[in-house]
Amino acid sequence: MAELRDNHANGRSAREQRVSRPVAGAGMRHQVARFLERAQAQFQAAAYREAGDIAQRVLALDANNAEAYHLLGAIAHREERFAEAEALLDKAISLNRRSPYFRHSLGNVYRAQGKFEAAEAAYRQALKLDPGLSAAYLGLATALRTLGRSRDAVVYLERYLQREPNDAEAYNELGLNYLELGRLDLAVEQLRAALRLNPAHKAARDNIALVLLLAENFREGWPAWLRSLTELPFPHPSTATAPFEGRRVLIHGSMGVGDEIMYASCLPALTPHAEEVTLHCDRRLAPLFERSFPSVRTVGVDRQGHTQHVIGILAPDEIHIAGSFLPAYFPPNIERFARRRSFLVADPAQVAEWRKRFDGLGTGLRIGLSWRGGADPVNRRQRSIPLAAWGSILAVRGVHFVNLQYGDVDGEIEEARLAVPINRWRDANPLADLDFFAAQIAALDLVISVDNTTVHMAGALGIATWALLPKVPDWRWTMAGTTTHWYPSVRLLRQQEAGRWEGVMQEVATRLESCVAAGLVDT
């Protein structure tokens, strides 16, 4: 680990050296020191096996050498053997409880596993032992952001940057924290500072593009978006359809299913300009896309067959691109967004089957619910709303609720002890059959969902949808407003305070009661 160089460059204090059990004779101590020095050099050269072998030789000479256990723990961390890394670092700490470096390394292992509370505690212990340990400030700040405590994270990042003013990664992290706080101006400022220090810092470049798009600054945002995807000299978005005119275009699906659906909204604008369009998409989306875009040749592929990067112009009449490339050209500005209500077409026979099923529930509005979203722990925490918080919505009478949450939710629903049922059908599995899922959504009166694939599917089908968004949402929803450029049938309901869903849920319940009274859904 990079931090290991910091840990050992400072050497061990006399106190630390006394903790390890002495080996016999000055010559033996000198040999142990030389072995440790060689092991460190091998570690820094990423020769982990060799470093580990030397560390084991140290332990053969001095069974209680804390530095050797620390090094072995660092190697296990690098090789993603996290449980072993924890055990080795715990052993090192038990032999030398005064080392801040050991605590810092343990914090890094915890953070790599998503154990952010434990990481926070380890970093704080490291700083208590050595308030001057710069790397621990950065680690602590990163853990705090993932725990949703960006205000605190900013404090520690500023302390870190006072000590390490030329660290581009720290400026990138500071930019992300200002983004979490909704301070988009400061976020861009810090991200640009990261790029000034390191023009090759890809994460900072990518993050600038996302912040600009979140702020609806499409004039700067789309070119920045393109630069984040490729270094190839593709035309500026202001030239509109220039890369595609008269060419055979092969589009590679990218990111997740929701992204593929959203980027597919660009296809109707692209096809009139291209000679031929072939779309590689998630295999589960292929039937739906074939039906919806008859002029596009659709090829279903496994997820691992996808690419997230532009491949480029392979011949004068051929271009390969990722789907995420399309929005920069279709559309390049707000005025060019198509205002069609839908662009996906569900299977009419399957829609009829779902309507028949819903008729069996009785009279009243049929409303689909989805409450979890986000692929990584940070996004999942920000986007998801526990079922226990849906009480005011589930209390609305005159409606039938339908489960749209993907994955196994039976235990979750049972544990919530809901006052009314959320109707489920065992053969409805969006993780396996997205065409059947599309038909299920198309047969509903309304979808209420957190930011996940369900919102994209419902919006693309033109179904009335209420999307429940955190205070700082994903870039595609921008920072303000109740409507979205991508899906006219989707209404955006936003948190007013980060982490607090009560106001949003009450607003949904009030709107829903009004819809029941009127006998229709108002988007």
Side-chain angles (χ1 to χ4, degrees):
M1 301 178 307
E3 68 274 4
L4 198 68
R5 182 181 295 125
D6 295 334
N7 291 357
H8 292 271
N10 296 300
R12 291 184 298 164
S13 66
R15 179 193 295 268
E16 289 180 272
Q17 292 180 39
R18 286 195 298 271
V19 173
S20 294
R21 189 175 63 189
V23 295
M28 189 70 74
R29 287 195 296 273
H30 180 66
Q31 186 177 12
V32 166
R34 283 193 300 107
F35 278 154
L36 284 172
E37 185 177 350
R38 285 172 52 195
Q40 299 291 339
Q42 294 288 353
F43 180 88
Q44 298 302 335
Y48 302 131
R49 181 174 179 178
E50 292 80 356
D53 288 344
I54 299 172
Q56 292 292 355
R57 294 177 68 181
V58 170
L59 291 176
L61 295 170
D62 180 4
N64 289 328
N65 190 285
E67 295 284 354
Y69 281 110
H70 179 224
L71 178 58
L72 290 170
I75 293 169
H77 179 189
R78 271 293 178 89
E79 295 179 343
E80 298 186 354
R81 294 179 281 114
F82 297 122
E84 185 178 347
E86 279 189 41
L88 289 163
L89 291 172
D90 282 340
K91 177 67 173 178
I93 290 170
S94 71
L95 293 168
N96 183 354
R97 296 188 177 279
R98 300 301 303 169
S99 172
Y101 309 111
F102 297 176
R103 308 277 183 174
H104 173 250
S105 293
L106 184 59
N108 290 339
V109 172
Y110 285 141
R111 185 157 56 89
Q113 299 176 84
K115 299 178 179 180
F116 301 116
E117 292 88 352
E120 178 191 358
Y123 290 133
R124 290 190 183 280
Q125 289 168 348
L127 288 170
K128 184 176 181 180
L129 290 167
D130 181 2
L133 183 58
S134 299
Y137 287 104
L138 181 59
L140 176 56
T142 304
L144 290 171
R145 178 173 64 83
T146 59
L147 290 169
R149 293 158 58 191
S150 285
R151 292 188 189 281
D152 294 336
V154 167
V155 173
Y156 289 103
L157 282 167
E158 289 175 344
R159 292 180 187 176
Y160 175 79
L161 285 167
Q162 288 174 357
R163 295 166 170 80
E164 305 289 343
N166 296 319
D167 189 338
E169 181 55 40
Y171 281 103
N172 178 66
E173 182 65 26
L174 187 56
L176 290 176
N177 277 283
Y178 280 125
L179 171 60
E180 296 290 344
L181 294 171
R183 296 297 308 274
L184 304 191
D185 53 342
L186 291 176
V188 170
E189 179 182 325
Q190 302 306 322
L191 293 169
R192 285 179 170 156
L195 283 181
R196 284 194 297 272
L197 288 167
N198 179 9
H201 199 296
K202 187 179 186 308
R205 186 169 67 244
D206 295 351
N207 290 330
I208 286 176
L210 297 178
V211 175
L212 291 171
L213 293 174
L214 180 61
E216 294 188 86
N217 182 350
F218 296 132
R219 183 180 62 82
E220 294 182 82
W222 287 129
W225 175 262
L226 294 181
R227 288 193 297 273
S228 75
L229 294 172
T230 180
E231 298 294 337
L232 296 176
F234 276 88
H236 192 280
S238 63
T239 61
T241 62
F244 311 99
E245 292 291 349
R247 285 197 169 105
R248 291 182 293 119
V249 181
L250 174 59
I251 303 167
H252 295 266
S254 58
M255 308 301 284
V257 168
D259 292 294
E260 291 202 38
I261 291 172
M262 190 183 82
Y263 299 145
S265 67
C266 302
L267 291 175
L270 165 62
T271 51
H273 300 279
E275 176 68 24
E276 176 185 275
V277 177
T278 300
L279 174 65
H280 286 190
C281 65
D282 188 299
R283 191 181 302 279
R284 296 168 297 169
L285 285 169
L288 182 60
F289 281 178
E290 286 175 0
R291 184 184 311 111
S292 304
F293 308 111
S295 64
V296 174
R297 179 172 173 263
T298 302
V299 180
V301 298
D302 293 328
R303 176 63 61 189
Q304 58 266 29
H306 292 201
T307 176
Q308 296 183 23
H309 303 286
V310 175
I311 297 176
I313 299 173
L314 304 185
D317 66 339
E318 185 174 341
I319 179 173
H320 285 211
I321 62 171
S324 52
F325 195 76
L326 296 178
Y329 292 92
F330 307 102
N333 52 55
I334 293 176
E335 291 72 25
R336 293 282 295 279
F337 270 91
R339 298 305 296 171
R340 58 185 178 276
R341 185 173 177 85
S342 65
F343 57 87
L344 293 186
V345 180
D347 183 335
Q350 291 186 351
V351 174
E353 178 183 339
W354 275 110
R355 284 178 177 154
K356 184 176 180 180
R357 294 186 184 192
F358 294 157
D359 286 344
L361 299 176
T363 59
L365 297 176
R366 292 82 184 266
I367 300 174
L369 300 182
S370 183
W371 54 91
R372 274 193 279 108
D376 61 78
V378 177
N379 278 329
R380 194 175 304 118
R381 172 184 53 77
Q382 291 175 334
R383 297 186 192 181
S384 300
I385 308 175
L387 267 178
W390 290 71
S392 58
I393 297 168
L394 295 170
V396 176
R397 297 181 178 275
V399 299
H400 301 283
F401 296 106
V402 174
N403 173 53
L404 297 179
Q405 182 61 53
Y406 40 84
D408 183 4
V409 298
D410 288 351
E412 193 173 352
I413 291 176
E414 295 298 326
E415 184 179 345
R417 299 179 181 275
L418 305 174
V420 296
I422 298 179
N423 296 283
R424 290 162 279 170
W425 283 265
R426 298 298 178 189
D427 59 347
N429 182 2
L431 295 176
D433 190 342
L434 287 170
D435 206 29
F436 200 45
F437 183 56
Q440 182 184 25
I441 289 176
L444 292 166
D445 297 303
L446 172 67
V447 169
I448 304 174
S449 176
V450 299
D451 178 11
N452 60 19
T453 298
T454 300
V455 170
H456 293 281
M457 182 71 82
L461 291 164
I463 302 304
T465 304
W466 297 348
L468 317 183
L469 303 179
K471 182 174 176 59
V472 180
D474 195 60
W475 66 269
R476 71 201 78 216
W477 309 122
T478 69
M479 278 294 290
T482 60
T483 60
T484 169
H485 306 302
W486 302 99
Y487 310 112
S489 68
V490 173
R491 178 184 291 271
L492 307 178
L493 304 177
R494 303 174 183 270
Q495 279 183 348
Q496 297 305 305
E497 182 181 345
R500 301 294 297 271
W501 288 106
E502 296 88 345
V504 174
M505 306 310 278
Q506 188 55 56
E507 181 181 0
V508 171
T510 301
R511 287 183 178 276
L512 190 54
E513 287 175 346
S514 298
C515 290
V516 172
L520 53 86
V521 175
D522 175 21
T523 58

